[in-house]
Amino acid sequence: MHWTEMLLPWVSSFALTIMAMPIVIGYFRTKQLGQTTRDEGPKWHEVKSGTPTMGGVVFLIATAISSIWTGIWQQSFTVSLGLLLFITLLYGILGFLDDFIKIFKKRNLGLTSKQKLIGQLVGGFLFFIVYLMNGFSTDLALPFFGNVHFGWLYGIFLLFWLVGFSNAVNLTDGLDGLVAGTATIAYSAYAIIAWQQAQTDVLIFCLTVSGGLVGFFFFNKKPAKIFMGDVGSLALGGGLAAISILLKQEWSLLLIGLIFVIETASVMIQVTSFKLTGKRVFKMSPIHHHFEMSGWSEWRVVGTFWFIGLITASLCLWIIL
């Protein structure tokens, strides 16, 4: 795939997002539909209450349109691209339902965690069935050990990976531009790996997502005019996990997505510590709020996390390439 051809899916997704986002923002403002901040969240986030959310709908639709037409045009609409769109859009629909309930019920509670988990597991199971039916490898790529054959146990890993990273990105989405930036870095890194492996189908998907995210960032940078909502964050995490699986570089997501891993670990540590000792390790979790409450500006936290994501993604590319 020539670099000029690589520009088309990125630019088309970027352009669709840039054109549609003002319309969506205007609609939500006209209807006075916005996000309600958590009561237990930082007090200075109260000014964000009422900001439109569900912006992820726009870049997901842009991703789907750009991926489909580019895949057909490039004769690269394969099972892999279909699987990526399936899991990303399905997790996006779960997030959409969650956001819809939050907005129209005027409260910051949507689907229950159990409902979301069931939906994620069902989606992951369907992904695995199609994965097996099309003869994809059930080997797990491990650093220093090479490919380890897991057989049907790979299905358990696949479910854990999809659900885990979907929720990890969702936990990270708490500051203006944080996930838009870290996810752009992650998808761009996987675009390079897909290009190196000559997997044009996966490359197209990575490019359309990153293009849409850059377009979204223009409206999500501080002060955000719109949030991506669960519809965006759940979908992005599931998409990243699926990409690492289809590229047979599963372990790479621990480095490329290190920020998402750290954010999730901070929540687990906080909850475990409080249950066992009654004490909190962090001032607030996920950890981006800890730094905020330690006096860091929102931009400093976001910029630092972007930088860490860029360094770890670059390190992973250096190892693989």
Side-chain angles (χ1 to χ4, degrees):
M1 193 174 185
H2 193 267
W3 69 269
T4 54
E5 296 173 323
M6 292 167 59
L7 278 176
L8 289 174
W10 192 97
V11 171
S12 63
S13 185
F14 171 81
L16 286 171
T17 303
I18 284 287
M19 289 187 294
M21 197 65 74
I23 299 172
V24 173
I25 293 173
Y27 172 79
F28 275 94
R29 291 202 179 278
T30 299
K31 298 294 183 180
Q32 295 184 328
L33 300 172
Q35 179 168 296
T36 304
T37 56
R38 293 187 304 167
D39 293 335
E40 65 272 23
K43 296 301 180 184
W44 52 89
H45 280 204
E46 291 177 0
V47 298
K48 299 184 180 186
S49 187
T51 301
T53 186
M54 298 176 74
V57 170
V58 178
F59 65 72
L60 286 182
I61 292 175
T63 291
I65 293 173
S66 299
S67 293
I68 291 170
W69 82 260
T70 308
I72 294 173
W73 176 60
Q74 292 281 351
Q75 298 183 333
S76 300
F77 197 92
T78 62
V79 173
S80 292
L81 183 52
L83 280 172
L84 288 170
L85 287 171
F86 165 74
I87 202 67
T88 303
L89 295 177
L90 179 62
Y91 281 13
I93 290 170
L94 286 174
F96 176 85
L97 293 174
D98 191 43
D99 291 331
F100 184 86
I101 294 170
K102 290 176 184 176
I103 293 172
F104 288 92
K105 293 288 186 179
K106 296 293 184 180
R107 58 190 175 89
N108 205 37
L109 295 172
L111 294 176
T112 66
S113 56
K114 184 178 180 180
Q115 289 171 328
K116 280 193 281 191
L117 178 60
I118 291 173
Q120 289 170 317
L121 289 174
V122 170
F125 178 74
L126 293 174
F127 181 101
F128 184 56
I129 293 299
V130 177
Y131 184 90
L132 284 180
M133 289 174 61
N134 285 273
F136 288 103
S137 172
T138 54
D139 291 352
L140 181 63
L142 296 173
F144 311 113
F145 293 96
N147 292 335
V148 179
H149 184 63
F150 267 56
W152 66 269
L153 288 174
Y154 188 81
I156 297 175
F157 164 80
L158 183 147
L159 290 175
F160 170 77
W161 215 237
L162 290 172
V163 175
F165 274 95
S166 176
N167 291 325
V169 175
N170 183 238
L171 286 172
T172 307
D173 185 29
L175 300 179
D176 297 353
L178 179 55
V179 166
T182 50
T184 297
I185 292 168
Y187 275 93
S188 298
Y190 277 121
I192 295 172
I193 297 173
W195 174 76
Q196 189 269 339
Q197 291 188 7
Q199 292 205 42
T200 305
D201 43 10
V202 180
L203 172 59
I204 288 171
F205 181 77
C206 293
L207 291 172
T208 57
V209 175
S210 59
L213 281 172
V214 173
F216 172 73
F217 175 72
F218 280 95
F219 304 92
N220 184 240
K221 67 181 185 297
K222 183 177 176 63
K225 295 181 178 66
I226 191 168
F227 304 134
M228 71 170 60
D230 286 4
V231 60
S233 58
L234 289 176
L236 289 172
L240 283 172
I243 289 167
S244 71
I245 289 167
L246 291 170
L247 293 176
K248 300 313 298 176
Q249 296 287 354
E250 297 93 341
W251 69 270
S252 65
L253 193 49
L254 295 175
L255 263 183
I256 291 175
L258 183 63
I259 288 297
F260 310 130
V261 175
I262 292 172
E263 293 272 26
T264 305
S266 71
V267 174
M268 295 172 67
I269 292 169
Q270 185 87 322
V271 171
T272 302
S273 175
F274 189 75
K275 285 185 175 180
L276 294 179
T277 67
K279 297 180 180 179
R280 293 179 172 85
V281 176
F282 306 105
K283 294 180 179 180
M284 186 177 177
S285 66
I287 199 168
H288 56 256
H289 288 318
H290 169 81
F291 289 110
E292 270 196 298
M293 299 185 79
S294 297
W296 286 31
S297 69
E298 189 166 353
W299 261 124
R300 182 183 178 187
V301 177
V302 170
T304 301
F305 280 35
W306 285 356
F307 180 72
I308 293 171
L310 183 60
I311 293 298
T312 56
S314 299
L315 175 61
C316 185
L317 291 175
W318 178 77
I319 293 172
I320 292 175
L321 306 180

